[in-house]
Amino acid sequence: IDYKGLPWISFNVLVILSSFLGDTTILVASIKYSAFRLNKSTVAVMQHLAVCDLLTSCIYTLSLIGHVSDWQALKEFLSGVGMYVFLWSLYGSYSFTAALTTIKLLTIKYPFHARLW
């Protein structure tokens, strides 16, 4: 066991687990139970943000497994298709975060029009 990489691996496992648990909780609570009493547009952006974060976490997890296990087929997949999926989901996360902030700003600025959204 390489003890130099143990803090890095444990930190990545903690981040990946919290991402998977948090995103699936948001998706289940918003789709199945309708637990959020927010505007429909806010909930939709939150769901899209959670899906983009799940995609980013899945690709990141696969890249960690590929680097640790030295599996050639997984490395070729990640160098080809996986990196594009990772980048697009990351850019999507940035865009949905900006959209969520804009929606909240518009809701505060125009409170009487918020029901129409």
Side-chain angles (χ1 to χ4, degrees):
I1 295 177
D2 183 21
Y3 292 108
K4 293 178 184 176
L6 191 61
W8 179 73
I9 291 172
S10 60
F11 173 74
N12 282 322
V13 167
L14 179 70
V15 168
I16 290 168
L17 284 177
S18 66
S19 177
F20 282 134
L21 289 175
D23 292 333
T24 53
T25 302
I26 287 172
L27 288 173
V28 168
S30 64
I31 293 171
K32 187 174 182 181
Y33 298 112
S34 299
F36 299 118
R37 296 188 186 268
L38 299 169
N39 298 339
K40 292 178 183 178
S41 59
T42 305
V43 174
V45 170
M46 284 174 54
Q47 289 172 349
H48 285 82
L49 183 63
V51 169
C52 282
D53 193 33
L54 277 173
L55 276 174
T56 305
S57 298
C58 287
I59 296 296
Y60 188 71
T61 304
L62 286 176
S63 67
L64 282 177
I65 291 170
H67 288 301
V68 170
S69 67
D70 197 31
W71 191 19
Q72 191 63 29
L74 187 60
K75 283 185 181 180
E76 289 176 5
F77 169 75
L78 290 173
S79 65
V81 176
M83 191 53 66
Y84 292 113
V85 173
F86 178 76
L87 286 176
W88 280 106
S89 64
L90 194 64
Y91 293 148
S93 295
Y94 294 155
S95 300
F96 286 127
T97 303
L100 190 62
T101 306
T102 305
I103 288 172
K104 293 310 273 181
L105 175 70
L106 290 174
T107 303
I108 291 171
K109 189 166 180 155
Y110 304 108
F112 296 115
H113 298 290
R115 289 188 180 185
L116 301 176
W117 301 338

